[in-house]
Amino acid sequence: MRFNSYAFALFFAALLPAYWLLRKWRPAQNVLLLAAGYYFYACWNPKFLSLLILSTVVDYACGLWLDRVESPRSRRGILSLSMALNLGMLGFFKYFNFFAESLHNLLARGGLAIPLGHLEVVLPIGISFYTFQSMSYVIDVYRREIKPTRNLVQLATFVSFFPHLVAGPIMRPSSLLPQVSSQRR
């Protein structure tokens, strides 16, 4: 769904009054915004919604884990786990075909014509934005700039907030997450 489409206009026209009707129940507004973010993303390709959810759940768990651990070495390990998963997903989808083709060409120049096979890896829309948004949360918890949220819905709403989901900008958790968790006026 594109921001300049009739489908988005209908989506937003349905979302805005529902959000307004829930104005006294912030948790319900967050669930609505989360569902809207997931729906918005799934309109492009529902199969890739699992990547967004996986990234969010892993970083939620890493944030909570970081809060319980004091050892600098263990904290770096938890941060590394989050970074490896997030950057691994991003790298696979963005660069797999490039590296596979480069390796094939390099081997061919060396006289090894080994067929490596070719995967048609589709780049999920907005993967860079939500990956870096989710990673920024774990990095800020690691640096002790913010406390981890104990509410998965709030973090998932922050990561999947549809106006930023596919086109950015990447928001710092210290600016957007308090807005997700506080009462709205």
Side-chain angles (χ1 to χ4, degrees):
M1 179 182 329
R2 294 185 179 149
F3 289 116
N4 62 349
S5 68
Y6 290 117
F8 181 77
L10 290 172
F11 164 76
F12 196 72
L15 178 64
L16 191 58
Y19 182 83
W20 184 80
L21 287 171
L22 296 172
R23 69 186 175 279
K24 295 184 190 240
W25 302 286
R26 178 188 38 83
Q29 284 181 319
N30 286 343
V31 169
L32 178 66
L33 288 176
L34 176 60
Y38 285 171
Y39 174 78
F40 179 80
Y41 193 76
C43 282
W44 174 70
N45 190 333
K47 291 187 295 189
F48 292 117
L49 184 58
S50 61
L51 297 174
L52 173 61
I53 294 169
L54 176 66
S55 179
T56 303
V57 169
V58 166
D59 286 340
Y60 172 75
C62 286
L64 292 176
W65 195 7
L66 282 167
D67 195 42
R68 292 191 319 261
V69 172
E70 290 300 320
S71 161
R73 183 176 181 185
S74 296
R75 290 177 59 79
R76 278 192 305 273
I78 296 166
L79 178 66
S80 297
L81 174 69
S82 170
M83 299 297 110
L85 175 84
N86 284 297
L87 295 175
M89 276 191 326
L90 181 63
F92 175 78
F93 285 100
K94 270 195 136 172
Y95 302 111
F96 177 82
N97 285 334
F98 169 75
F99 285 119
E101 186 176 319
S102 297
L103 179 62
H104 177 74
N105 291 340
L106 181 68
L107 291 173
R109 283 187 178 187
L112 298 170
I114 300 172
L116 297 176
H118 182 74
L119 292 177
E120 290 297 325
V121 177
V122 175
L123 180 63
I125 191 167
I127 190 171
S128 297
F129 293 109
Y130 72 73
T131 297
F132 290 121
Q133 184 115 330
S134 188
M135 283 174 35
S136 72
Y137 167 75
V138 174
I139 291 168
D140 283 0
V141 171
Y142 171 78
R143 291 178 178 166
R144 293 189 168 104
E145 292 175 7
I146 63 169
K147 293 292 285 176
T149 181
R150 304 268 183 242
N151 188 318
L152 179 58
V153 171
Q154 289 177 359
L155 180 64
T157 301
F158 161 72
V159 173
S160 68
F161 189 54
F162 72 90
H164 298 264
L165 186 57
V166 296
I170 298 165
M171 298 293 295
R172 295 298 305 253
S174 57
S175 67
L176 186 57
L177 201 50
Q179 294 178 54
V180 171
S181 61
S182 66
Q183 192 64 36
R184 286 143 189 134
R185 296 186 194 109

